[in-house]
Amino acid sequence: MTVSDWSDWLPRAVESADPETVAIWYLGCNGFVIKGSEGTTLFVDPYVGIGDPPRTVRMIPVPFDPEDVAEADAVLATHEHTDHVHGPSQAPILENTGATFVAPDDSLAVAYDDEAWFDDYDLSDDQFEEVTEGDSVEIGEFTVHVEPAYDPDASHPVAYVFEHESGTFIHGGDTKPAEEFADIGERYDLDLGILAFGTIGNIPDKETGEPIRTKWYNDENQIIEAASDLDLDRLVPTHWDMWKGMTADPKVLHHHAKSFEAPRSLDLVEIGDRVDL
């Protein structure tokens, strides 16, 4: 059972918000909740699990209980890793709100097969929508475009571009720089981009438990390369706060970005923070 360290203030803050444009709250790890000016509410990669100690150890609070979420139109997953597709974090939102789970095939396979969400939650088939690169989905006031992502640790990662009358932003999941990013940057005027950032650490091997040198996310140079190729106005680094041994300091990115035209600014957010388009 999920126990929120912050009670229910974050879901209630989202529900009561009346943004003039688009409000985006950082949930820690790579999770976000997005609310448009007309009230459409989307969750992307929400995760409230503690990991799998001692290999993966959560370093930040659990900011909400999914059972406390009363308003959601869709939950989107960027790829199949457990901190992006996780039944206890996401299925209660679908069950309580009737929201749609939007995800690529391998992410849906986690819900259908690996975790068998239908066995534990009251869900219907029409709440699940498979997407792949090149697709576009209308969800309330948002048009969501599915774009390529490059994450060699995932079997089918995607990025999502959210278009709204107030602006356009991209959530890249755990992507590294990709050949397609320059094209994406030309096709969209990206006001904001969300990209994973971390360090290299010694993480226990799944099989042996012995520490091994591990790199899961962009380093300082990779995240700026990706942001530059995407021609971002604003860069929001994520994931740097989550796992013991893999945390990083996003303030260093000011030094790496200052000689590049893009990103034009850095938005450094902590868990629970809100940014607006």
Side-chain angles (χ1 to χ4, degrees):
M1 183 179 73
T2 299
V3 177
S4 171
D5 294 312
W6 290 350
S7 186
D8 66 346
W9 77 260
L10 186 53
R12 300 294 84 83
V14 174
E15 290 171 18
S16 63
D18 186 20
E20 293 185 2
T21 56
V22 176
I24 307 168
W25 288 263
Y26 181 41
L27 304 177
C29 196
N30 217 345
F32 285 83
V33 57
I34 301 157
K35 188 173 186 179
S37 54
E38 298 175 14
T40 302
T41 304
L42 312 176
F43 284 77
V44 185
D45 289 351
Y47 177 70
V48 295
I50 62 167
D52 184 22
R55 184 169 185 267
T56 50
V57 179
R58 186 183 184 105
M59 297 294 290
I60 52 176
V62 175
F64 71 100
D65 182 338
E67 295 284 356
D68 290 331
V69 176
E71 298 179 2
D73 294 281
V75 177
L76 298 93
T78 59
H79 62 288
E80 75 284 350
H81 290 166
T82 191
D83 54 341
H84 299 261
V85 180
H86 183 242
S89 299
Q90 298 164 1
I93 300 175
L94 305 181
E95 184 178 60
N96 293 339
T97 66
T100 302
F101 187 68
V102 178
D105 50 3
D106 290 351
S107 297
L108 289 178
V110 174
Y112 287 142
D113 303 321
D114 298 351
E115 294 187 352
W117 292 5
F118 285 85
D119 292 347
D120 298 318
Y121 303 94
D122 184 14
L123 305 172
S124 60
D125 286 328
D126 60 5
Q127 286 182 266
F128 292 78
E129 182 170 355
E130 181 179 331
V131 292
T132 194
E133 294 87 340
D135 289 346
S136 295
V137 181
E138 301 289 336
I139 310 174
E141 65 208 87
F142 293 93
T143 301
V144 183
H145 304 282
V146 186
E147 296 291 347
Y150 173 65
D151 180 1
D153 295 320
S155 58
H156 188 183
V158 299
Y160 294 110
V161 174
F162 298 86
E163 282 193 314
H164 187 269
E165 64 180 10
S166 303
T168 304
F169 63 100
I170 186 170
H171 189 305
D174 290 353
T175 189
K176 310 294 193 303
E179 294 180 0
E180 296 87 353
F181 281 1
D183 174 65
I184 293 172
E186 289 181 1
R187 289 190 285 114
Y188 302 101
D189 182 9
L190 293 171
D191 299 288
L192 183 147
I194 295 162
L195 297 171
F197 169 56
T199 189
I200 298 173
N202 285 316
I203 302 297
D205 181 75
K206 281 185 178 181
E207 301 297 329
T208 67
E210 293 297 318
I212 57 172
R213 184 178 173 87
T214 303
K215 181 177 185 294
W216 285 332
Y217 313 116
N218 290 297
D219 63 20
E220 296 92 337
N221 294 302
Q222 287 177 311
I223 194 171
I224 298 304
E225 177 186 351
S228 179
D229 288 346
L230 291 166
D231 196 25
L232 299 181
D233 285 339
R234 300 158 64 189
L235 168 63
V236 176
T238 59
H239 234 321
W240 54 269
D241 54 2
M242 186 61 179
W243 301 124
K244 184 175 179 62
M246 303 293 284
T247 56
D249 182 356
K251 295 190 297 296
V252 304
L253 298 178
H254 288 290
H255 300 287
H256 291 266
K258 66 181 180 179
S259 65
F260 292 87
E261 183 176 344
R264 281 165 273 282
S265 68
L266 290 171
D267 282 16
L268 304 184
V269 296
E270 295 178 332
I271 183 171
D273 284 351
R274 167 181 166 175
V275 296
D276 288 62
L277 283 186

